[in-house]
């Protein structure tokens, strides 16, 4: 969580008055066994059960429609790691969540997900790094 906390501190300086909340639900982990399987990443099976339940709880807790009576747009910024973001994007778009590892994100990238009060979901950007100098773009 160190990088996420550091990034939160940097972003917070540019958003005075915005409330910061920390949660272990968004901590990096192994959300669900990927399909198709990959040879380069094989956590122990127990990790999928422990991390998967926590990351699914994050999705259910934080990704939802706005109240139908809400009159203005609202925004929430989540600063977390790629596995969590990829899983949440798959779940929000109602794609098979096992496909999360098919998506690739650069470090420090921006993903913009829109959820309308009627339940319609749109992915505006996934892993955008256009704001970064090319020599600063990395991937784990």
């Amino acid at each position: 969580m160190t990088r996420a906390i550091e990034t939160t501190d940097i972003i917070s300086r540019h958003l005075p008055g915005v409330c910061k909340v920390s949660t272990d639900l968004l901590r990096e982990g192994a959300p669900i066994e990927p399909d198709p399987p990959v040879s380069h990443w094989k956590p122990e099976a127990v990790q999928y059960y422990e991390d998967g339940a926590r990351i699914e709880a994050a999705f259910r807790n934080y990704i939802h429609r706005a109240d139908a009576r809400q009159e203005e747009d609202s925004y929430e910024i989540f600063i977390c790691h790629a596995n969590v973001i990829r899983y949440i994007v798959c779940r929000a778009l109602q794609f098979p969540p096992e496909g999360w590892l098919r998506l690739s994100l650069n470090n420090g990238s921006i993903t913009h997900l829109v959820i309308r009060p009627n339940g319609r979901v749109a992915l505006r950007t996934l892993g955008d790094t256009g704001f970064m100098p090319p020599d600063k773009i990395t991937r784990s």
Side-chain angles (χ1 to χ4, degrees), residues 66-96:
D67 187 304
R69 297 176 305 240
Q70 182 174 316
E71 295 183 12
E72 295 182 19
D73 289 346
S74 60
Y75 300 89
E76 294 187 30
I77 299 171
F78 299 97
I79 300 167
C80 53
H81 295 279
N83 292 357
V84 176
I85 295 166
R86 294 182 287 191
Y87 178 80
I88 285 174
V89 165
C90 287
R91 289 281 285 117
L93 295 174
Q94 298 179 356
F95 292 166

Side-chain angles (χ1 to χ4, degrees), residues 3-136:
R3 285 188 325 218
I5 291 168
E6 291 170 351
T7 302
T8 300
D9 290 341
I10 292 167
I11 291 172
S12 293
R13 284 185 243 145
H14 299 280
L15 299 171
V18 173
C19 178
K20 290 190 305 187
V21 176
S22 181
T23 177
D24 277 343
L25 293 178
L26 293 171
R27 194 170 19 90
E28 183 68 309
I32 191 170
E33 193 167 355
D35 186 20
V38 294
S39 60
H40 65 279
W41 191 73
K42 292 203 180 278
E44 293 183 33
V46 71
Q47 259 192 282
Y48 292 119
Y49 295 105
E50 292 171 358
D51 296 345
R54 176 181 45 77
I55 295 168
E56 176 64 20
F59 173 79
R60 291 175 184 236
N61 236 359
Y62 297 113
I63 309 301
H64 51 79
R65 304 173 186 195
D67 187 304
R69 297 176 305 240
Q70 182 174 316
E71 295 183 12
E72 295 182 19
D73 289 346
S74 60
Y75 300 89
E76 294 187 30
I77 299 171
F78 299 97
I79 300 167
C80 53
H81 295 279
N83 292 357
V84 176
I85 295 166
R86 294 182 287 191
Y87 178 80
I88 285 174
V89 165
C90 287
R91 289 281 285 117
L93 295 174
Q94 298 179 356
F95 292 166
E98 297 83 3
W100 67 272
L101 203 49
R102 296 179 190 187
L103 305 174
S104 179
L105 299 176
N106 292 326
N107 296 324
S109 63
I110 296 174
T111 295
H112 182 182
L113 192 63
V114 176
I115 305 170
R116 305 244 179 254
N118 66 4
R120 185 173 174 199
V121 177
L123 182 61
R124 298 281 186 217
T125 61
L126 177 69
D128 180 27
T129 51
F131 61 93
M132 289 184 186
D135 64 324
K136 299 294 183 194

